[in-house]
């Protein structure tokens, strides 16, 4: 039995926040943010719109594009750093409730911006072991709520949104997820963190940006080299390189290190900013909805985030090409 990604969906909040919004409120400029990050706009969820609401919207789309109903799903995994509740109940349980599903295994994954790739890896293991048939994986973030709007070094970087995918069992090897590699180094926890309850600090995200930048470029590059070599692949075998969307300069450096050309790179950071665990599924959804992602195309996912965590995946898109 193999696991394959058979559908993708995303939810993007309507409100667009420009760089000028930040320039009007703090010591920064549109030019600085654009030049150093590549971000022009990010989306902001409504006040009462939680990670579970956005995750449920993305999930509805992914489930309908898989030609399924929620009753066909037998497990829900949600990756998030901005859950509805502190530790419990999990956002996955709330999503299950919002989708009208009871009696289902549902849990969250804490792997920051690498969360979607970690969720993919867990879904694959459950399917390949024969334990589950159709797993819904979600990355959903109300990341702007974790921002300290007195800290110009971090608050312009993040945005809100959600992405979801259905991972299903198949006996067709051509549809299978080829490989996934997930890893971490807790020794680098201080580069990127949100203080916990009991720390005496507010629950605002903190990042040592410049150090994180360097580790991100190195790790994302090495991660891709490793997974390609392990599977006897080269960059030419990849149709779409989908890196975590944190900073355009990181994507440019990693893309150049690896020799991907522009037609292979998927870039959404300019319009959505960094949406943490939602960034990769939102980016896949973007190329799906534009008609660029076709059935059978090979995707290379490459993520990096707090933990530090990182992960890469090679898979063939087993969903139907969208009718344009
Ligand atoms: O998603 C998880 C992984 N995240 C990442 O991988 C993000 C990695 N890091 C980055 O994307 C970049 O490091 C940042 C965008 C966060 C920062 O860019 P940088 O080029 O590394 O800048 P820096 O931190 O070295 O700061 C350079 C200067 C500093 O001023 P001084 O000390 O040189 O006077 C900062 O205070 O830029 C200043 N600065 C700003 N200036 C205007 C920092 N933020 C701002 C700002 N506007 N918003």
């Amino acid at each position: 039995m193999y696991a394959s990604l058979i559908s993708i969906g995303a939810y993007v909040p309507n409100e667009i926040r420009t760089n000028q919004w930040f320039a009007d409120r703090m010591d920064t400029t549109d030019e600085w943010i654009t030049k150093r990050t590549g971000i022009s706009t990010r989306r902001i969820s409504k006040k009462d719109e939680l990670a579970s609401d956005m995750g449920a919207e993305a999930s509805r789309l992914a489930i309908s594009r898989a030609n399924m109903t929620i009753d066909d799903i037998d497990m829900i995994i949600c990756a998030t750093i901005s859950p509805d509740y502190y530790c419990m109940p999990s956002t996955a349980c709330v999503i299950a409730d919002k989708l009208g599903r009871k009696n289902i295994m549902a849990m969250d994954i804490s792997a920051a911006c690498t969360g979607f790739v970690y969720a993919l890896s867990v879904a694959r293991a459950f399917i390949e072991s024969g334990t589950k048939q159709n797993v819904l994986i979600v990355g959903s973030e109300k990341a702007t709520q974790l921002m300290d709007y007195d800290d110009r070094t971090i608050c312009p970087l993040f945005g809100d949104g959600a992405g979801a995918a259905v991972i299903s069992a198949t006996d067709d090897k051509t549809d299978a997820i080829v490989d996934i590699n997930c890893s971490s180094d807790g020794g680098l926890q201080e580069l990127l963190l949100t203080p916990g309850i009991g720390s005496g600090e507010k629950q605002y995200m903190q990042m040592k940006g410049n150090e994180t930048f360097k580790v991100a470029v190195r790790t994302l590059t090495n991660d891709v080299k490793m997974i390609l070599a392990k599977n006897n692949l080269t960059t030419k075998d990849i149709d779409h390189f989908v890196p975590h969307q944190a900073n355009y300069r990181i994507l440019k450096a990693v893309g150049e290190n690896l020799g991907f050309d522009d037609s292979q790179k998927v870039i959404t950071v300019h319009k959505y900013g960094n949406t943490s665990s939602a960034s990769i599924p939102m980016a896949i959804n973007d190329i799906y909805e534009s008609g660029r992602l076709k059935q059978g195309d090979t995707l290379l996912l490459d993520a990096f985030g707090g933990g530090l965590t990182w992960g890469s995946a090679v898979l063939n898109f087993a969903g139907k090409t969208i009718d344009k």
Side-chain angles (χ1 to χ4, degrees):
M1 193 54 72
Y2 303 105
S4 70
L5 189 151
I6 65 159
S7 73
I8 189 80
Y11 173 77
V12 179
N14 284 331
E15 188 186 333
I16 296 173
R17 184 166 288 172
T18 62
N19 292 343
Q20 192 56 42
W21 187 94
F22 295 91
D24 290 342
R25 286 163 179 80
M26 61 196 78
D27 183 17
T28 191
T29 58
D30 173 29
E31 194 200 356
W32 192 95
I33 301 170
T34 308
K35 240 191 190 161
R36 298 293 184 113
T37 71
I39 300 167
S40 296
T41 58
R42 67 289 292 144
R43 299 300 181 105
I44 310 294
S45 51
K46 289 191 219 86
K47 205 168 177 205
D48 60 353
E49 198 170 40
L50 305 180
S52 64
D53 295 304
M54 294 186 274
E57 284 301 320
S59 298
R60 282 188 190 100
L61 203 51
I63 293 168
S64 77
R65 285 175 177 167
N67 285 324
M68 289 183 182
T69 71
I70 183 63
D71 294 329
D72 297 310
I73 302 294
D74 50 14
M75 180 177 183
I76 300 177
I77 308 172
C78 179
T80 184
I81 54 165
S82 46
D84 294 16
Y85 295 100
Y86 177 71
C87 286
M88 67 167 185
S90 72
T91 304
C93 283
V94 185
I95 290 173
D97 181 54
K98 287 182 175 163
L99 295 175
R101 182 77 155 88
K102 294 193 192 307
N103 299 322
I104 184 165
M105 181 173 175
M107 65 175 182
D108 284 2
I109 281 197
S110 171
C113 306
T114 318
F116 188 79
V117 178
Y118 268 59
L120 184 67
S121 157
V122 174
R124 180 193 192 211
F126 269 88
I127 288 170
E128 290 190 347
S129 67
T131 313
K132 302 290 178 192
Q133 294 288 307
N134 299 306
V135 182
L136 174 68
I137 60 170
V138 189
S140 186
E141 300 294 1
K142 195 175 173 69
T144 55
Q145 288 302 301
L146 295 171
M147 297 297 116
D148 176 356
Y149 287 93
D150 288 328
D151 182 358
R152 68 173 183 171
T153 69
I154 196 162
C155 68
L157 306 180
F158 284 81
D160 299 335
V166 175
I167 315 301
S168 286
T170 177
D171 51 13
D172 184 348
K173 200 175 176 188
T174 57
D175 284 344
I177 294 168
V178 178
D179 199 10
I180 309 178
N181 175 51
C182 289
S183 196
S184 72
D185 181 355
L188 296 172
Q189 61 192 274
E190 285 177 7
L191 292 189
L192 184 47
L193 56 84
T194 310
I197 287 175
S199 66
E201 292 187 70
K202 289 200 169 141
Q203 269 78 57
Y204 290 140
M205 199 192 297
Q206 302 169 9
M207 176 165 65
K208 294 192 172 126
N210 200 268
E211 285 171 66
T212 308
F213 186 102
K214 288 176 195 148
V215 186
V217 172
R218 196 171 60 237
T219 308
L220 287 166
T221 304
N222 290 344
D223 213 18
V224 168
K225 284 185 179 164
M226 269 172 51
I227 202 164
L228 289 178
K230 185 172 161 226
N231 292 283
N232 294 317
L233 297 168
T234 72
T235 51
K236 296 208 170 17
D237 297 305
I238 304 301
D239 297 302
H240 310 285
F241 174 51
V242 192
H244 169 51
Q245 310 283 317
N247 182 319
Y248 178 70
R249 290 189 297 133
I250 296 178
L251 307 187
K252 191 165 175 288
V254 172
E256 278 167 10
N257 289 348
L258 295 166
F260 283 113
D261 63 40
D262 285 350
S263 68
Q264 292 170 293
K265 285 183 262 179
V266 179
I267 311 265
T268 58
V269 69
H270 56 292
K271 53 181 178 177
Y272 301 143
N274 184 344
T275 57
S276 191
S277 69
S279 103
I280 285 186
M282 284 171 76
I284 301 173
N285 185 68
D286 245 52
I287 55 169
Y288 174 74
E289 290 191 350
S290 70
R292 190 172 144 196
L293 176 61
K294 310 258 190 298
Q295 186 167 16
D297 280 359
T298 303
L299 295 152
L300 171 49
L301 317 182
D302 195 17
F304 175 86
L308 294 180
T309 55
W310 59 92
S312 54
V314 177
L315 58 134
N316 300 318
F317 179 63
K320 294 248 177 319
T321 308
I322 202 165
D323 290 331
K324 289 299 287 176

